[in-house]
Amino acid sequence: MKSLLTFGIFFFAISFCGITDKIKESVEDSSTTADSTEKAENSDKTDSPKTDANGKDGEFEKPKPSAKQQEIIDNGKRVVWEDQGMGWVLPNGWSKVTVSKKMFNYGSPSTGFLIVSISSLPESFPVDISLKAAYDGQMQRKKDGEVDLLRYMEIDDVKGVEFMEAMPEDKSDPRRYQWIGYRLYNNQTQLINIIISTDGSKFNDKSDTFGAILYSMKFDN
C-alpha cells in the first residue's frame, strides 16, 4: 500500500512538471496558435472506465454515470475533505490513509486508492491555456500508446481533463485513472489532481468503482 501511494505522489510530481513546461510553451505561442486547435483523434474502445465516447478537442463533457456506476454512488458513503470543500462517494471498506491541507488519500488494498493533491496558484493564472496544455500533453501520450481514454470533463461546474493510462506491460504495476482541473477557491486558483489507481491486473474489474468515485465529486461554491 505504501509503495503504491508513494508511486502515485511521485507520478503527480512528474505530471505537474510536464504540465508546467507545456503551459510555458503555450503562453509563448498563444499569439500565433490561438486560431488553430489540434483535433482529437477518435478514441479506441476501452474496457474501463465504462463511459461514453471521447469528446472533441475543446468540448467539455459532463459525467453520465452508467447504471452500475450510479448504483455504486447510491450505496456508497460520502467523504468530505473539509479543508478544501470537496467530497466523493467511496465504496464501503475504503478508509482514510492520510489527510492534510493539501493531500487527501483514502483507499482499500484489495480495490485501489484515491489520491488528491492541491496546488495553489495566483488568481491570474491562465487556466484555459493550462487546460489546453494538459490535454495536449496527454494527447501525445495517447498517440504513443500510453493513454487509452482522453477527454475534457466538467464535474460539478469545474472544468478539467480526464484520462486513463493504458495497461502497463507488467500488470503488477499501477494503472492510473486521472482528472486534472482548476477552480477558484478562497480567492486562489487551485490545480486539483485526482488519481484513482490500482494494480493493472485489478484495474478492469474495478473500473466502474473508479468512474463512480470520480463522477460523484462535489465542490463547495
Side-chain angles (χ1 to χ4, degrees):
M1 180 177 74
K2 290 182 179 179
S3 62
L4 183 56
L5 172 59
T6 301
F7 197 97
I9 296 171
F10 175 70
F11 176 76
F12 164 72
I14 293 175
S15 298
F16 182 69
C17 290
I19 292 168
T20 302
D21 291 341
K22 195 71 177 178
I23 291 169
K24 290 178 181 178
E25 294 174 6
S26 297
V27 171
E28 292 170 356
D29 296 340
S30 59
S31 61
T32 57
T33 61
D35 296 329
S36 61
T37 304
E38 181 182 356
K39 299 299 181 182
E41 296 178 346
N42 291 331
S43 294
D44 295 331
K45 227 177 197 185
T46 180
D47 47 13
S48 53
K50 297 176 179 64
T51 50
D52 295 338
N54 293 3
K56 294 181 180 179
D57 189 1
E59 296 179 355
F60 285 87
E61 298 185 51
K62 294 188 177 181
K64 297 178 182 177
S66 66
K68 189 170 183 180
Q69 288 172 342
Q70 190 60 54
E71 181 181 357
I72 293 169
I73 294 172
D74 292 341
N75 292 305
K77 61 177 182 180
R78 179 156 292 278
V79 177
V80 177
W81 190 6
E82 294 184 356
D83 283 335
Q84 296 296 341
M86 61 181 74
W88 302 263
V89 172
L90 301 181
N92 294 321
W94 282 49
S95 58
K96 182 171 74 173
V97 178
T98 180
V99 175
S100 63
K101 190 171 183 179
K102 294 293 184 72
M103 179 73 70
F104 181 95
N105 180 212
Y106 267 65
S108 165
S110 63
T111 308
F113 294 91
L114 168 67
I115 303 170
V116 187
S117 299
I118 297 287
S119 296
S120 298
L121 303 163
E123 187 175 351
S124 59
F125 186 80
V127 169
D128 291 341
I129 292 174
S130 179
L131 281 173
K132 180 65 165 61
Y135 184 93
D136 288 348
Q138 297 307 318
M139 174 57 75
Q140 185 58 56
R141 295 185 68 208
K142 186 174 186 296
K143 290 177 179 178
D144 292 340
E146 298 175 7
V147 167
D148 283 345
L149 173 71
L150 172 62
R151 58 187 170 185
Y152 288 107
M153 177 60 67
E154 180 179 332
I155 302 177
D156 199 30
D157 297 326
V158 176
K159 293 180 178 180
V161 176
E162 173 191 15
F163 56 98
M164 181 188 68
E165 292 184 340
M167 182 69 72
E169 291 185 18
D170 184 344
K171 291 187 178 181
S172 64
D173 287 341
R175 186 181 183 188
R176 284 164 289 267
Y177 174 40
Q178 194 163 352
W179 181 89
I180 296 173
Y182 294 88
R183 69 166 180 170
L184 184 63
Y185 186 69
N186 287 339
N187 298 317
Q188 286 186 318
T189 298
Q190 290 184 333
L191 165 63
I192 306 167
N193 190 357
I194 313 290
I195 299 174
I196 310 172
S197 180
T198 192
D199 295 348
S201 60
K202 301 176 185 175
F203 193 97
N204 291 345
D205 291 340
K206 309 302 180 184
S207 62
D208 281 307
T209 297
F210 294 168
I213 291 171
L214 181 63
Y215 296 156
S216 73
M217 183 164 57
K218 297 291 182 183
F219 297 95
D220 287 350
N221 296 327

